[in-house]
Amino acid sequence: MNTTAAFYPVGTSGQSWGAPERAQWLARQTVQRSYADEVVSKIDALRGRFDVSQYGELDYPGGPYPLFAIRSRNWDDALPVMLVTGGVHGYETSGVQGALQFVDRHADDYAGKCNLLVAPCVSPWGYERIQRWNAMALDPNRSFVANSPAQESAALMALVAPLKGHFLMHIDLHETTDSDESEFRPALAARDGLPFEPGEIPDGFYLCADSLNPQPAFQQAVNAEVAKVTHIAPADAQGQIIGSPVVAQGVIEYPLKALGLCASITGARYTTTTEVYPDSPRATPQQCNDAQVAAVRGGLDYAVVHR
């Protein structure tokens, strides 16, 4: 039998996974860190200053995993709503820790200017296993669609649904890591019965804007703040980042809604997806957290002024 073992240890070459392969993949996933200790404890510490609520629960092996949202305490319906999401891909650590750091250190600065809604860890099962997918071998960030098969995505969409029409900004915090190339892209090719085609990991911070609503001045404002903290990723030799044309320094564009991406769920005027590179020799984990915080602040400061 010709297997995919040359690039991934699960599956058969040219054949997409069925239930046995997904079960084999799931059996390979192990808990490597604690959602309760590293995330929930920090959320609990914020309860004295912000409104914290549980908006869902993941029913997965090793669970259940409660899902938490943090809101501005003095919510004012006359003000726009700004959504910050982290950990849609659970392995992307700075998205989670950066969201929590922003709330702890800077959210109070926006009281009276906007309503903040923060979902700091959308995929806690993936956070604990340092995994991009959920327990069903689905990518939550391709699953923000009607009747989503991903519990994480469905829960977040239900959270934001009552506030549709009130969102001005949504920033979704992500990372691009070396493990994208060593683990997650090979796994994707194996799962879908496709050949693995190696790519190039960009060194630095970049943004993914909505090709149908790019808002270039907003993207520039975000990157300007981040550049004070860490370096912006250059284009590769083809003028691209991860296969997409660079439309401005450190900015690419995707059709967010068509791809089922998280940043499409609010209909906000200003949307972006951040990407930091924690494996860079030029960046520390704290710099990556700080870059996510800078991105949120840059986006909020621009959106508040340009309502």
Side-chain angles (χ1 to χ4, degrees):
M1 179 180 291
N2 180 19
T3 72
T4 62
F7 67 88
Y8 201 73
V10 176
T12 302
S13 181
Q15 297 181 20
S16 58
W17 291 359
E21 291 80 13
R22 290 174 186 266
Q24 183 184 350
W25 172 85
L26 180 61
R28 291 169 50 85
Q29 310 310 312
T30 59
V31 172
Q32 300 182 58
R33 56 187 177 183
S34 171
Y35 171 63
D37 292 347
E38 297 184 18
V39 180
V40 177
S41 65
K42 294 182 179 180
I43 295 173
D44 287 341
L46 297 167
R47 289 179 181 271
R49 297 156 53 202
F50 301 94
D51 290 338
V52 175
S53 61
Q54 182 176 335
Y55 68 90
E57 186 172 87
L58 304 181
D59 182 19
Y60 289 148
Y65 291 93
L67 301 168
F68 295 104
I70 305 164
R71 289 177 170 83
S72 304
R73 173 136 293 174
N74 296 311
W75 195 274
D76 183 349
D77 289 336
L79 295 175
V81 181
M82 314 291 202
L83 176 63
V84 180
T85 47
V88 171
H89 290 144
Y91 73 105
E92 296 172 1
T93 307
S94 71
V96 177
Q97 298 301 331
L100 291 168
Q101 181 178 314
F102 163 75
V103 175
D104 183 37
R105 300 184 187 178
H106 302 285
D108 289 328
D109 298 341
Y110 297 91
K113 299 177 181 178
C114 62
N115 300 310
L116 289 171
L117 176 61
V118 181
C121 190
V122 174
S123 297
W125 184 92
Y127 183 88
E128 288 203 330
R129 288 154 183 81
I130 312 183
Q131 175 55 243
R132 181 182 182 91
W133 293 343
N134 67 14
M136 310 299 291
L138 295 173
D139 187 337
N141 206 34
R142 296 298 184 274
S143 302
F144 289 94
V145 297
N147 302 310
S148 176
Q151 295 179 33
E152 301 86 347
S153 309
L156 187 64
M157 288 190 290
L159 173 69
V160 306
L163 296 169
K164 283 286 185 69
H166 297 278
F167 287 101
L168 180 60
M169 188 202 79
H170 176 194
I171 186 165
D172 187 30
L173 309 180
H174 284 254
E175 294 181 344
T176 302
T177 70
D178 286 345
S179 60
D180 285 7
E181 196 66 15
S182 63
E183 166 66 21
F184 300 121
R185 290 175 186 166
L188 176 63
R191 186 196 69 182
D192 295 346
L194 301 172
F196 171 58
E197 299 179 2
E200 182 177 329
I201 302 296
D203 184 354
F205 182 96
Y206 64 98
L207 295 172
C208 181
D210 187 352
S211 57
L212 299 183
N213 178 34
Q215 299 290 342
F218 169 74
Q219 311 297 335
Q220 183 178 4
V222 173
N223 270 341
E225 284 301 309
V226 173
K228 300 173 183 178
V229 175
T230 193
H231 57 292
I232 304 300
D236 63 19
Q238 288 73 46
Q240 299 178 339
I241 291 177
I242 60 168
S244 294
V246 173
V247 298
Q249 183 184 20
V251 182
I252 60 173
E253 296 175 356
Y254 280 173
L256 301 184
K257 189 171 183 61
L259 292 175
L261 301 183
C262 181
S264 71
I265 63 175
T266 64
R269 184 188 311 167
Y270 302 117
T271 61
T272 199
T273 302
T274 69
E275 297 284 355
V276 303
Y277 179 44
D279 299 312
S280 172
R282 300 167 59 190
T284 65
Q286 187 57 54
Q287 268 183 298
C288 291
N289 294 347
D290 292 344
Q292 303 283 23
V293 172
V296 174
R297 294 179 65 205
L300 285 171
D301 291 346
Y302 182 91
V304 165
V305 172
H306 299 85
R307 291 178 56 178

